[in-house]
Amino acid sequence: MDLSELTLVELGEQNLDIEFFDCGRDDINDFFRNDAKNYQDELFGKTYFFCLSNKPKRIVAAFTVANASIFTKHLPNSRRRKIGYEVHHEKGLVNYPAVLLGRLGVDKEFRGNHIGAQILEFVAGWFSSDENFSGCRHLIVDAYNEKELIEFYQKSGLELFFSTEDQELTYRNWDIEKDGPLQTRLMFRDLILLKRPSIR
Ligand SMILES: CC(C)(COP(=O)(O)OP(=O)(O)OC[C@H]1O[C@@H](n2cnc3c(N)ncnc32)[C@H](O)[C@@H]1OP(=O)(O)O)[C@@H](O)C(=O)NCCC(=O)NCCS
């Protein structure tokens, strides 16, 4: 199934069968059903749906995007270089503009069609295009800390910020005793590679 066969709908644009949407993860279903509208009203993130063109209320996939930034000041040097690879600005930036893919879900019925991967590509293209109103160097996700999910994002060109959980615990000031195991892992994709693929 190709994304171009589906219709992109912005939250609030038309009535959709949100109650039938099931990506298999309750918290994400719950977000799209109950929280996305308020979230959008508060300007925290915008939600979009890909729907079947012949059944326009049927949601195939949903995602939420928000402006974000990568603050590099407290990153180890090696990590800072990785984020600012081939940056022409003399010393790199302290803050790199980014887009955060805050939520992503593909309905269980449509799994295995590369819809999720195509959405990652779509968002990357969207935010790095000349039509984007602001600068956006990276696509970032805060992925559930599950091996398969991390592999899913890696297949789409996202990399872990930190190669080990220990490094990430330190950077995020995460106290395992108090906060429990690290639940998510930060990942990024440098969108400059879409414009200048030859640099790597
Ligand atoms: C994760 C999710 C968005 C993936 O969407 P999808 O459309 O099913 O995935 P795709 O078909 O695009 O998968 C692309 C590749 O990743 C692999 N992949 C996808 N999900 C995977 C998983 N959970 N485990 C292992 N591999 C996975 C696919 O096999 C495919 O590999 P291939 O290119 O070698 O064929 C979807 O499974 C989902 O909605 N999950 C529940 C919600 C969720 O966890 N969201 C992410 C929160 S961080």
Side-chain angles (χ1 to χ4, degrees):
M1 182 180 273
D2 197 277
L3 219 52
S4 61
E5 296 163 21
L6 304 174
T7 309
L8 181 66
V9 180
E10 212 176 303
L11 175 73
E13 216 172 38
Q14 62 190 65
N15 281 335
L16 301 174
D17 286 337
I18 188 68
E19 65 277 17
F20 293 125
F21 177 75
D22 180 8
C23 72
R25 215 184 259 273
D26 289 343
D27 57 337
I28 294 190
N29 289 341
D30 185 57
F31 174 82
F32 289 122
R33 283 183 199 150
N34 303 313
D35 300 332
K37 168 85 171 62
N38 283 343
Y39 206 76
Q40 184 154 306
D41 288 346
E42 297 292 330
L43 305 179
F44 289 151
K46 291 198 78 166
T47 292
Y48 298 87
F49 302 95
F50 276 105
C51 299
L52 290 177
S53 297
N54 57 354
K55 283 189 200 159
K57 289 185 171 193
R58 179 72 169 102
I59 299 167
V60 173
F63 65 97
T64 302
V65 283
N67 291 349
S69 77
I70 303 175
F71 184 62
T72 59
K73 198 160 178 191
H74 301 301
L75 286 177
N77 280 341
S78 58
R79 218 44 50 177
R80 205 177 305 156
R81 277 198 297 275
K82 205 171 160 188
I83 302 293
Y85 190 83
E86 284 275 329
V87 166
H88 293 159
H89 191 277
E90 201 181 325
K91 287 187 176 162
L93 306 181
V94 175
N95 263 304
Y96 286 86
V99 54
L100 170 72
L101 184 68
R103 301 285 192 298
L104 170 66
V106 174
D107 191 284
K108 288 197 298 191
E109 204 182 310
F110 301 96
R111 291 269 181 83
N113 287 300
H114 286 104
I115 300 284
Q118 289 180 74
I119 290 179
L120 293 174
E121 215 52 50
F122 174 81
V123 171
W126 214 9
F127 280 84
S128 58
S129 79
D130 292 339
E131 281 75 48
N132 190 10
F133 289 115
S134 71
C136 178
R137 174 73 190 231
H138 297 96
L139 166 65
I140 53 182
V141 298
D142 200 13
Y144 286 115
N145 192 5
E146 296 168 13
K147 188 172 169 286
E148 295 78 13
L149 213 45
I150 288 170
E151 281 169 9
F152 158 72
Y153 286 115
Q154 283 171 330
K155 280 186 178 171
S156 286
L158 283 104
E159 300 175 53
L160 287 165
F161 267 74
F162 301 96
S163 31
T164 69
E165 283 198 26
D166 278 349
Q167 288 174 335
E168 190 152 355
L169 288 168
T170 309
Y171 176 73
R172 301 180 88 163
N173 213 2
W174 189 278
D175 182 345
I176 295 194
E177 302 268 300
K178 194 161 67 67
D179 306 323
L182 192 61
Q183 280 167 9
T184 57
R185 301 292 308 271
L186 281 166
M187 301 184 76
F188 74 96
R189 176 175 171 189
D190 192 341
L191 301 183
I192 200 68
L193 296 170
L194 285 173
K195 281 185 172 285
R196 301 205 291 264
S198 60
I199 66 173
R200 234 173 235 181

